[in-house]
Amino acid sequence: MATAKLGDISRNGLYQITDTAWDSNGTMRVTVRERIGEREIPANRLRAMRRYARRALPEYHEGQTRQSPVLRTWYADGCSHVTFAVSRNER
């Protein structure tokens, strides 16, 4: 599975990675924009956005992330945005 990079759009065209940044703890903050333009994000789409955010980790493989909690949500420019804190399992 290829690593998702800044500006990449999901295969279904619904989600886009708009920001990535590492913090001092080795956790990557990933912001995903939902391109549908709705203010409310249903739970199933939030799960899909989280899965897509996890793909932004370099050399990501399914099951390698420890957690990816939501840090922030907001609505801007006609789209919902969610920032996740994605951290890798200890090896």
Side-chain angles (χ1 to χ4, degrees):
M1 183 178 299
T3 301
K5 298 187 178 8
L6 188 64
D8 282 358
I9 297 172
S10 63
R11 277 189 243 168
N12 62 8
L14 297 179
Y15 312 113
Q16 181 178 25
I17 296 187
T18 59
D19 186 45
T20 60
W22 290 99
D23 71 9
S24 61
N25 296 327
T27 299
M28 180 182 262
R29 285 177 287 123
V30 181
T31 300
V32 179
R33 176 174 73 120
E34 183 180 43
R35 300 175 49 166
I36 295 174
E38 296 178 359
R39 286 185 183 270
E40 297 297 318
I41 303 171
N44 63 331
R45 280 193 281 195
L46 187 61
R47 284 190 299 273
M49 292 173 83
R50 179 176 280 120
R51 283 192 304 271
Y52 194 56
R54 289 176 176 174
R55 289 195 45 212
L57 276 177
E59 300 176 15
Y60 169 76
H61 297 286
E62 192 73 37
Q64 282 189 336
T65 55
R66 177 175 57 223
Q67 59 184 355
S68 50
V70 172
L71 295 178
R72 180 177 176 220
T73 62
W74 71 97
Y75 185 81
D77 300 324
C79 297
S80 292
H81 298 74
V82 181
T83 300
F84 300 93
V86 182
S87 58
R88 190 182 305 275
N89 282 332
E90 300 298 323
R91 293 181 187 206

